Amino acid sequence: MDYIYQVRLTTHISSAIGSLTHALLQNARCYSVSHLSVQERIEQKRKAALTGGGQLRIAAQHKRGKLTARERLELLLDPDSFVEYDMFVEHRCSDFGMEADHNKYPGDSVVTGQGRINGRLVYVFSQDFTVFGGSLSGAHAQKICKIMDQAMMVGAPVIGLNDSGGARIQEGVESLAGYADIFLRNVMASGVVPQISLIMGPCAGGAVYSPALTDFTFMVKDTSYLFITGPDVVKSVTNEDVTQEELGGAKTHTTVSGVAHRAFENDIDALLNLRNFFNFLPLSNKDPAPVTECHDPRDRLVPGLDTIVPFESTKAYDMLDIVHGIVDEREFFEIMPNYAKNIVVGFARMNGRTVGIVGNQPKVASGCLDINSSVKGARFVRFCDAFNIPIITFVDVPGFLPGTAQEYGGIIRHGAKLLYAFAEATVPKITVITRKAYGGAYDVMSSKHLRGDVNYAWPSAEVAVMGAKGAVQIIFRGKENQAEAEAEYVEKFANPFPAAVRGFVDDIIQPSTTRKRICRDLEVLASKKQTNPWKKHANIPL
Amino acid sequence: MAAYRSAAGFQRVLHAVKHVCFSKQRCGVIICRYSTVYDPTEKTFDKILIANRGEIACRVIKTCKKMGIKTVAVHSDVDSSAVHVKMADEAVCVGPAPTNKSYLNMDAIMNAIKQTGAQAVHPGYGFLSENKQFAKRLAAEGVSFIGPDTHAIQAMGDKIESKLIAKAAKVNTIPGFDGVVKDAEEAVKIAGEIGYPVMIKASAGGGGKGMRIAWNDEETREGFRFSSQEAASSFGDDRLLIEKFIDNPRHIEIQVLADKHGNALWLNERECSIQRRNQKVVEEAPSTFLDPDTRRAMGEQAVSLAKAVKYSSAGTVEFLVDSKKNFYFLEMNTRLQVEHPITECITGLDLVQQMIRIAMGYKLQHKQSDIPINGWAIESRVYAEDPYKSFGLPSIGRLSQYQEPLDLRNVRVDSGIEEGSDISIYYDPMISKLVTYGKTREEALKKMEEALDNYVIRGVTHNIPLLREIIVHPRFVSGDISTKFLPEVYPDGFKGHMLTAGERRELLATAAALYVAAQLRSQKFLGDLRVSVVPAESRQWELCVELDKGVHMLGVSRSGNNYTVEIDGEKVEVSGEWNLASALLPLTINGKHRTLQCLLRTAAGEITLQYLGTSFKLRVLSKLAASLSKHMPEKVPEDTSSILRSPMPGSVVAVSVKPGDNVAEGQEICVIEAMKMQNSMTAAKAAKVKSVHCKAGDTVGEGDLLVELE
């Protein structure tokens, strides 16, 4: 290994076929005269691979405000940790003049391998836009499949840096087959190792389905696009005038479509944030949620929480204030912060251990559940469950959003996804009802009935079928003294007792002690074991 | 609380400051620089209602508790979980948030008094404290008003009347003449009587408009010509005002205390010259400017004024003092002042307790000779406001983190808020009064630096940067101040602390060390280490740190918690605990103790540090990331000349344009009101109005889009 390490230092690269190189180099040493040409060719190929599409194209890439595939990997991975695979792979297309030597690039249009992020193993691929616009050839796909296969065997996450013009048209069905090979592996790896896509340039056509199958899709603002068909085709088919940015830019996908989970300012910002994000994730479904060194006292009281819920139950507050107050060092990596803002999801740590946070956001649409927020929440809960990340749920939900738009849109089947996700999850589940927990939405939000492990209510909690006004109109229809009846209802139901006397909440706690309680519970629940009945796979209402 | 209660029979002796009172609070010992010398045998009120909110309500309740008096808080609905409500024994809601419907709502407050059976009302300051109507209604109901009698409130409340009374009581007033001046020679004669310099202006002109200063006869003649012309042409009113001009005036006030038996005392002065828009920012007691003779002369005049209006309770006589120590009566405030704590610090008296005793009808306990000046006290008014906008425009928000520097000795913080409190648009944006005390002024100022550095306020913009700069400014430190201090020292507005080369290095080094500490920690995983290796730590970190567009290459090496940072050939040693969860960053930088605060630290290397009061935005990148940064696209900043955003939260009073209108540069577009201040928003360029996003009556947040121009 020492020898390889030196090779890496001198050439700034190392190869997965290290042993072969090793042998070749040794041979070169022993029989330097006879094998000089091979040695030279190795060096030449390596050099060519390192420059990708050549200096001109690199300059063009930089001019677009984008880094090269290799620069990106250098920033993403720990220094000197990248181990490259398949540097000598070339495309095999022999049509349209592609067979010419000047159309062959060692490594083709993608850089693949493994490396470390803060010392932890990760498999990576980085598409090289300077080589045929990063288009996907059979060889390109094969390289990606190789590292994905190994990632699954070893049990380590896969990060893809996407920057590709699409299919290698010259290769025809070979390229399409390549996409499908990757899709299959995305699906096989789903729930086995975390998969993250960072879109750093164009990603169009069939190519979009790989990021869509991965767990998280991040984008770079202004320089990345994701769409099935570009503006020209859109114009010819639907006669809509739309720019690339409007159709599939970072803003569109993080606010309107919900395709992407976060967007970052530029390549550097995105890669540094990705390193930070990676620290939240376990390596695989066999590994526990990671625990990092924590300076925030586990028994810290949060006095501000005692006054955060306003007295008027119609008044909004910011659920993020609660989340920031409770988690370690106020650090919260929010997922989809600008989409379906009536639910808040993201990663944080409690006493150093990664947790998934789900919270209704009273500030937006009263924190109600609608189609988009249900789907957003459900996908997040399922990720946490798949990767052993405990889920902490903060509940302040007035119910599901009524209306034709929602009903016609299928709120019933979409709402069922969140219900399903919480119900099937077997990771530690801790729930805090901060205020309203009304109707079916109460059941959905990680209630005791869906196997919540520890369910707390704050003194401001109201667990009921609906708000006082609506309830009184039904119970006392046509009767006088509605106001009196309403007061009676409030007295009876607008408090945590009806749930607490039945054991549906385990305790009514002082808000300022919430962090302390959750940290303690998580320690106890770390050894939780729960399994669902055997099944081929479950049938979530998609 | 036992420390406040002295043995019975001891109370006649002034409990001076040398005896310190300890009160165990949270993590340390704090010292309150006043003594509530409480005599349990002296009968007092059973229950007092405090017709106020915030810190002053809390302040009054504290003394009531020590005196064994039950307290009633009143509050608006948004204040229902405010600190003063929690502190009081009882609380009554007196209406919705706007002050005229709650804290100024006399009917509701009278009802609260009846409902709770309070025997007396302490009005605090502001709100109903100087409202004679309120005092009358209380008297009619037989409830004691803890303050002066109605006639004193009325007499001192009227500017003209108070001046006449003061004159009669032989109190120095600003000499002047207001009327028709025949000719230039008469003007010279009048000026001669007043004494130079004089100020000449048209009586009808408001404020300082058309004001001319004359230092001799010639200038007086000239001033007369201009002003009389202007008076005639601009105002159609010939009257002129010729008044003594007070150059570089200081605002110095005398605290008085008077009982209902004709006794009155002066409790020394407070120097309140540091002001912005006539609001005090930093106060101190005593003043560096007064000698004992002047102090006594001012004190005696203040007492004679108090006696002239049969004043009882605590009151304040405000004076303007010129550079030659001539002092002139300005007005009398018939209430407890905001800045009363500094007087308590140097005299050891509890002013609230004294007010309560006086209201009960007791005679003053002290003689003038009992009143000491012990040490020095400084008060900084900590406001939720942005000091970079005209020395302070209000800011609102939720105090997401809040920690008062109470574990420091000789620090007193009077506040009515806590972590989680909301600073709303309805009330005064004051967060607290931070008071430090020392044997000498120097000691008190040093303590103030430390206290400001250790004060954690997150969630709202605050004026600590400005306060921290004022107290170390050479002019302030030398005592060379006047009411014009801020505009003179910062003619182009306050811009934050200007770093010296050495300070800049300290700041860069701290950011770099913090970055490395955070990076190293992010590699520390506990527990299962499957397929994980701890990367070998590099011996030397090469970092690139950006600060205000300046880029610096730094070399960082570490040994335990000690970091050596090399910047441009100079070495900076930084060491500390590096607790990344703590709001405070206590460090030793090149052997000096410094407390910084980390306001922001992101994954992308952004670090915002509060250093010497001012927050500085830095960015720390590895050498590699820094070298690649040049390829990153420049983000085009929003063109701010064609959009108008609200500079602060508030309500829209008026919108003067509609879409399609052509506006000239500087033309008023709309008016925003926040905390009693109206701000005219003007067009940054001549253009056509594209769209209007607000209407009169709207509530807007800081940065909200108001109007777009084409």
Side-chain angles (χ1 to χ4, degrees):
Chain A
M1 279 314 282
D2 272 355
Y3 181 66
I4 300 232
Y5 185 58
Q6 277 170 15
V7 170
R8 193 157 67 217
L9 280 183
T10 51
T11 61
H12 294 283
I13 26 155
S14 139
S15 167
I17 46 169
S19 50
L20 174 61
T21 318
H22 191 161
L24 284 170
L25 284 173
Q26 274 192 336
N27 284 344
R29 247 183 221 169
C30 303
Y31 312 102
S32 53
V33 179
S34 61
H35 287 82
L36 194 62
S37 61
V38 172
Q39 174 63 19
E40 264 175 5
R41 281 172 63 199
I42 294 168
E43 295 297 327
Q44 254 174 20
K45 293 266 185 203
R46 278 198 193 287
K47 215 174 147 201
L50 290 176
T51 45
Q55 290 305 334
L56 279 177
R57 292 210 178 92
I58 289 175
Q61 177 83 349
H62 283 158
K63 220 172 154 197
R64 281 186 208 106
K66 302 197 296 184
L67 298 179
T68 66
R70 287 178 188 279
E71 286 166 345
R72 285 166 175 168
L73 288 178
E74 242 186 305
L75 276 177
L76 175 65
L77 302 173
D78 294 346
D80 299 326
S81 73
F82 181 48
V83 179
E84 186 168 346
Y85 292 1
D86 290 341
M87 200 185 217
F88 296 97
V89 164
E90 291 172 359
H91 73 76
R92 299 174 295 272
C93 179
S94 53
D95 296 318
F96 310 109
M98 288 294 280
E99 69 280 16
D101 271 356
H102 69 270
N103 273 339
K104 298 248 174 167
Y105 294 84
D108 205 31
S109 50
V110 66
V111 182
T112 59
Q114 43 102 336
R116 305 268 166 173
I117 293 178
N118 287 317
R120 297 197 311 149
L121 184 65
V122 61
Y123 283 82
V124 289
F125 69 85
S126 177
Q127 294 178 318
D128 187 350
F129 195 78
T130 67
V131 177
F132 298 118
S135 61
L136 187 122
S137 64
H140 178 139
Q142 213 175 10
K143 282 180 73 173
I144 293 176
C145 291
K146 187 190 268 182
I147 59 126
M148 290 184 72
D149 288 340
Q150 205 176 94
M152 281 175 70
M153 279 192 295
V154 172
V158 179
I159 294 180
L161 307 182
N162 297 65
D163 189 0
S164 160
R168 182 82 49 88
I169 298 168
Q170 294 90 335
E171 290 198 8
V173 72
E174 179 94 25
S175 175
L176 297 184
Y179 277 125
D181 290 341
I182 297 170
F183 298 158
L184 176 69
R185 279 161 182 82
N186 285 140
V187 174
M188 289 301 109
S190 181
V192 179
V193 293
Q195 303 179 79
I196 305 161
S197 303
L198 175 56
I199 316 299
M200 310 187 81
C203 182
V208 298
Y209 284 109
S210 176
L213 291 167
T214 60
D215 298 303
F216 295 100
T217 302
F218 299 123
M219 293 181 80
V220 179
K221 286 181 193 168
D222 304 324
T223 50
S224 73
Y225 309 100
L226 268 168
F227 36 63
I228 297 284
T229 49
D232 296 342
V233 181
V234 169
K235 175 75 182 164
S236 66
V237 176
T238 67
N239 202 29
E240 287 169 290
D241 280 309
V242 65
T243 63
Q244 277 197 353
E245 182 63 33
E246 285 165 358
L247 186 62
K251 194 171 176 197
T252 301
H253 286 314
T254 51
T255 59
V256 181
S257 72
V259 166
H261 296 88
R262 269 294 272 271
F264 301 103
E265 286 307 313
N266 56 44
D267 281 15
I268 294 177
D269 195 46
L271 292 163
L272 294 177
N273 271 293
L274 192 48
R275 279 179 66 84
N276 180 45
F277 175 64
F278 188 78
N279 263 17
F280 284 104
L281 307 179
L283 293 178
S284 76
N285 60 354
K286 298 254 166 56
D287 295 288
V291 184
T292 56
E293 188 180 289
C294 172
H295 295 167
D296 204 350
R298 57 199 273 282
D299 55 355
R300 172 171 58 86
L301 293 179
V302 194
L305 297 186
D306 286 337
T307 52
I308 192 161
V309 177
F311 276 90
E312 308 89 319
S313 66
T314 49
K315 222 177 135 194
Y317 59 93
D318 192 347
M319 188 56 88
L320 285 173
D321 285 339
I322 294 182
V323 175
H324 286 140
I326 285 176
V327 303
D328 288 357
E329 299 177 19
R330 309 183 64 79
E331 192 188 357
F332 180 53
F333 190 98
E334 194 173 350
I335 296 293
M336 302 174 109
N338 295 313
Y339 177 79
K341 289 182 218 168
N342 40 346
I343 200 163
V344 169
V345 302
F347 297 101
R349 296 189 180 89
M350 294 295 283
N351 200 20
R353 182 190 310 270
T354 299
V355 292
I357 305 275
V358 180
N360 307 111
Q361 173 58 286
K363 233 175 78 172
V364 181
S366 304
C368 72
L369 287 175
D370 58 4
I371 293 171
N372 291 345
S373 59
S374 300
V375 174
K376 171 179 167 182
R379 182 146 175 84
F380 180 75
V381 167
R382 295 196 96 211
F383 176 83
C384 292
D385 186 44
F387 291 101
N388 313 315
I389 298 171
I391 300 164
I392 300 168
T393 309
F394 295 99
V395 184
D396 187 349
V397 63
F400 282 96
L401 181 65
T404 51
Q406 289 292 312
E407 294 291 358
Y408 295 173
I411 180 69
I412 296 174
R413 65 194 171 87
H414 293 297
K417 291 175 185 172
L418 184 58
L419 166 61
Y420 192 104
F422 270 124
E424 76 173 337
T426 55
V427 290
K429 290 188 283 193
I430 298 172
T431 308
V432 181
I433 302 173
T434 61
R435 190 168 60 179
K436 287 175 226 167
Y438 287 168
Y442 153 71
D443 286 339
V444 170
M445 293 303 294
S446 197
S447 64
K448 199 79 195 163
H449 325 286
L450 301 184
R451 303 191 293 187
D453 296 303
V454 182
N455 294 56
Y456 291 123
W458 283 3
S460 46
E462 311 169 12
V463 185
V465 175
M466 58 175 76
K469 211 171 188 128
V472 167
Q473 275 167 10
I474 295 167
I475 305 173
F476 302 98
R477 189 177 304 224
K479 295 239 176 80
E480 280 169 33
N481 292 336
Q482 294 266 323
E484 202 177 289
E486 205 175 305
E488 190 192 334
Y489 185 91
V490 167
E491 174 73 27
K492 259 202 179 117
F493 289 137
N495 58 61
F497 297 115
V501 294
R502 290 166 176 82
F504 299 160
V505 296
D506 300 297
D507 200 357
I508 303 170
I509 61 171
Q510 193 61 24
S512 53
T513 64
T514 309
R515 171 177 167 83
K516 194 169 121 178
R517 301 288 293 246
I518 294 177
C519 282
R520 205 164 61 189
D521 295 331
L522 285 172
E523 277 158 36
V524 171
L525 290 169
S527 58
K528 175 185 174 184
K529 291 236 169 4
Q530 188 170 42
T531 45
N532 291 332
W534 185 90
K535 47 186 109 178
K536 185 175 174 197
H537 66 69
N539 189 16
I540 186 165
L542 293 174
Chain B
M1 287 293 142
Y4 292 113
R5 216 163 280 149
S6 311
F10 182 55
Q11 61 291 135
R12 297 287 157 197
V13 188
L14 173 72
H15 213 40
V17 186
K18 59 183 188 262
H19 176 97
V20 285
C21 303
F22 294 97
S23 152
K24 277 277 176 206
Q25 280 223 347
R26 276 182 234 171
C27 39
V29 174
I30 65 146
I31 297 164
C32 254
R33 288 281 166 189
Y34 59 91
S35 304
T36 313
V37 184
Y38 165 60
D39 174 3
T41 61
E42 189 178 270
K43 195 179 163 340
T44 185
F45 299 108
D46 296 325
K47 196 189 264 187
I48 290 178
L49 180 140
I50 298 101
N52 214 305
R53 66 181 297 282
E55 65 90 12
I56 195 62
C58 297
R59 165 70 191 87
V60 173
I61 293 171
K62 269 183 202 160
T63 287
C64 289
K65 286 195 168 178
K66 285 179 226 156
M67 295 177 72
I69 301 169
K70 288 205 175 66
T71 51
V72 181
V74 294
H75 62 88
S76 66
D77 54 7
V78 293
D79 270 347
S80 49
S81 56
V83 179
H84 76 279
V85 174
K86 286 188 228 169
M87 278 177 75
D89 299 306
E90 289 171 72
V92 182
C93 183
V94 289
T99 51
N100 58 355
K101 293 189 178 134
S102 50
Y103 296 102
L104 291 172
N105 182 346
M106 272 190 240
D107 293 335
I109 292 173
M110 295 307 296
N111 277 340
I113 294 166
K114 267 191 210 133
Q115 189 188 321
T116 56
Q119 298 157 332
V121 171
H122 195 299
Y125 54 73
F127 295 137
L128 298 170
S129 62
E130 288 168 291
N131 187 314
K132 54 180 194 281
Q133 208 59 39
F134 183 57
K136 259 187 204 150
R137 280 185 71 171
L138 290 177
E141 297 284 337
V143 177
S144 300
F145 178 73
I146 304 176
D149 294 338
T150 9
H151 97 272
I153 298 176
Q154 176 159 6
M156 293 295 105
D158 185 298
K159 283 219 164 181
I160 297 166
E161 197 188 337
S162 68
K163 228 173 167 180
L164 291 175
I165 295 172
K167 236 178 191 168
K170 300 215 162 47
V171 175
N172 301 354
T173 53
I174 299 174
F177 173 88
D178 191 356
V180 178
V181 181
K182 228 175 30 231
D183 54 27
E185 289 323 303
E186 193 185 344
V188 168
K189 195 174 141 248
I190 295 168
E193 281 163 13
I194 293 170
Y196 287 111
V198 296
M199 182 263 309
I200 307 170
K201 68 169 200 168
S203 295
K209 206 175 165 214
M211 184 176 96
R212 278 175 191 83
I213 313 297
W215 295 80
N216 51 45
D217 293 356
E218 195 40 52
E219 286 175 10
T220 307
R221 287 188 191 99
E222 203 177 306
F224 168 78
R225 258 195 316 279
F226 278 114
S227 298
S228 53
Q229 272 167 20
E230 190 182 60
S233 63
S234 303
F235 307 108
D237 180 343
D238 289 343
R239 286 178 308 135
L240 288 187
L241 181 68
I242 304 180
E243 206 178 67
K244 176 91 181 169
F245 172 69
I246 301 171
D247 65 315
N248 279 325
R250 287 165 177 264
H251 179 121
I252 299 177
E253 59 191 28
I254 300 286
Q255 175 74 53
V256 294
L257 202 56
D259 63 21
K260 297 184 176 188
H261 307 278
N263 304 309
L265 294 170
W266 47 276
L267 306 183
N268 301 314
E269 79 280 10
R270 290 187 292 258
E271 163 74 76
C272 310
S273 296
I274 307 292
Q275 306 185 347
R276 51 120 178 87
R277 297 193 303 271
N278 293 322
Q279 258 189 306
K280 295 160 190 168
V281 183
V282 175
E283 299 109 334
E284 61 185 307
S287 165
T288 55
F289 193 59
L290 296 192
D291 50 60
D293 290 342
T294 315
R295 177 175 297 123
R296 189 178 325 109
M298 289 173 76
E300 281 167 0
Q301 289 196 9
V303 161
S304 87
L305 176 63
K307 285 183 173 166
V309 288
K310 297 201 170 55
Y311 196 86
S312 66
S313 193
T316 298
V317 182
E318 296 190 339
F319 292 98
L320 278 186
V321 184
D322 72 11
S323 54
K324 297 194 182 60
K325 293 190 182 142
N326 297 311
F327 57 90
Y328 305 97
F329 170 72
L330 205 58
E331 61 177 338
M332 180 169 188
N333 294 321
T334 57
R335 55 173 153 86
L336 186 65
Q337 295 271 98
V338 176
E339 59 273 23
H340 75 274
I342 51 177
T343 297
E344 296 184 327
C345 281
I346 61 162
T347 61
L349 264 74
D350 178 338
L351 288 180
V352 175
Q353 183 206 17
Q354 297 305 323
M355 289 175 82
I356 294 170
R357 286 190 72 255
I358 292 165
M360 272 300 283
Y362 293 115
K363 281 188 183 166
L364 289 178
Q365 287 168 312
H366 310 104
K367 294 196 290 291
Q368 189 62 49
S369 57
D370 293 336
I371 307 302
I373 298 183
N374 276 321
W376 212 284
I378 318 262
E379 175 181 279
S380 290
R381 295 199 191 181
V382 181
Y383 277 102
E385 55 183 27
D386 184 349
Y388 299 98
K389 296 178 185 162
S390 3
F391 301 115
L393 284 190
S395 137
I396 54 165
R398 181 174 181 273
L399 289 167
S400 55
Q401 275 176 290
Y402 183 75
Q403 206 177 301
E404 293 171 352
L406 290 176
D407 45 351
L408 300 177
R409 288 179 78 89
N410 290 350
V411 172
R412 166 174 168 183
V413 184
D414 279 25
S415 68
I417 44 101
E418 59 190 347
E419 187 167 306
S421 291
D422 261 316
I423 308 282
S424 73
I425 58 167
Y426 300 110
Y427 310 113
D428 188 76
M430 190 161 79
I431 296 173
S432 78
K433 301 183 306 204
L434 176 62
V435 180
T436 61
Y437 174 86
K439 281 197 200 77
T440 61
R441 184 167 187 261
E442 199 189 347
E443 218 180 279
L445 281 175
K446 262 270 147 310
K447 187 57 71 178
M448 183 60 81
E449 279 180 44
E450 204 185 332
L452 287 168
D453 285 343
N454 282 279
Y455 203 147
V456 178
I457 303 170
R458 303 276 195 279
V460 295
T461 313
H462 54 75
N463 68 338
I464 283 181
L466 177 64
L467 297 170
R468 183 69 170 72
E469 279 301 284
I470 292 172
I471 58 146
V472 297
H473 194 279
R475 267 190 65 183
F476 181 83
V477 172
S478 69
D480 172 22
I481 55 173
S482 75
T483 51
K484 295 181 192 131
F485 179 85
L486 288 178
E488 274 174 14
V489 169
Y490 308 105
D492 305 319
F494 178 66
K495 302 265 193 294
H497 180 74
M498 298 295 155
L499 292 170
T500 64
E503 287 166 352
R504 197 178 171 88
R505 277 196 296 274
E506 285 191 6
L507 183 61
L508 292 167
T510 304
L514 184 65
Y515 172 87
V516 173
Q519 289 286 313
L520 289 174
R521 189 184 63 160
S522 65
Q523 298 166 355
K524 281 188 196 153
F525 289 90
L526 312 174
D528 196 357
L529 290 174
R530 190 179 72 80
V531 282
S532 172
V533 290
V534 178
E537 188 185 334
S538 45
R539 298 168 62 106
Q540 168 94 358
W541 297 65
E542 283 186 272
L543 300 175
C544 171
V545 186
E546 283 173 40
L547 170 62
D548 321 317
K549 306 231 153 86
V551 180
H552 304 260
M553 290 307 300
L554 273 59
V556 184
S557 55
R558 181 183 78 105
S559 142
N561 279 337
N562 306 321
Y563 290 80
T564 306
V565 184
E566 210 175 312
I567 308 167
D568 309 325
E570 302 252 5
K571 277 198 174 139
V572 183
E573 306 277 344
V574 190
S575 57
E577 293 266 321
W578 303 109
N579 181 327
L580 299 170
S582 163
L584 294 173
L585 213 54
L587 299 172
T588 307
I589 309 178
N590 281 344
K592 257 183 315 208
H593 182 76
R594 292 256 197 228
T595 302
L596 282 81
Q597 298 189 25
C598 180
L599 307 179
L600 177 81
R601 183 166 51 78
T602 70
E606 289 151 317
I607 291 180
T608 303
L609 293 174
Q610 183 180 313
Y611 173 63
L612 302 172
T614 297
S615 73
F616 293 94
K617 283 185 182 163
L618 299 106
R619 183 154 197 214
V620 186
L621 289 174
S622 66
K623 200 178 167 192
L624 172 72
S627 72
L628 294 173
S629 287
K630 61 177 182 284
H631 301 306
M632 294 299 100
E634 285 267 334
K635 302 276 167 175
V636 188
E638 198 176 39
D639 177 11
T640 49
S641 68
S642 57
I643 48 168
L644 190 67
R645 292 184 183 281
S646 176
M648 66 204 156
S651 57
V652 180
V653 177
V655 181
S656 2
V657 296
K658 55 184 188 302
D661 284 2
N662 282 307
V663 291
E665 185 182 330
Q667 187 180 330
E668 180 180 288
I669 288 184
C670 62
V671 180
I672 308 285
E673 186 184 87
M675 289 146 182
K676 297 179 262 172
M677 248 183 68
Q678 293 210 343
N679 295 272
S680 171
M681 310 293 304
T682 56
K685 61 174 186 188
K688 198 179 213 177
V689 177
K690 190 174 165 196
S691 55
V692 176
H693 299 267
C694 60
K695 57 179 191 302
D698 281 1
T699 304
V700 290
E702 183 178 341
D704 280 5
L705 183 63
L706 301 172
V707 170
E708 264 183 290
L709 303 176
E710 276 181 1

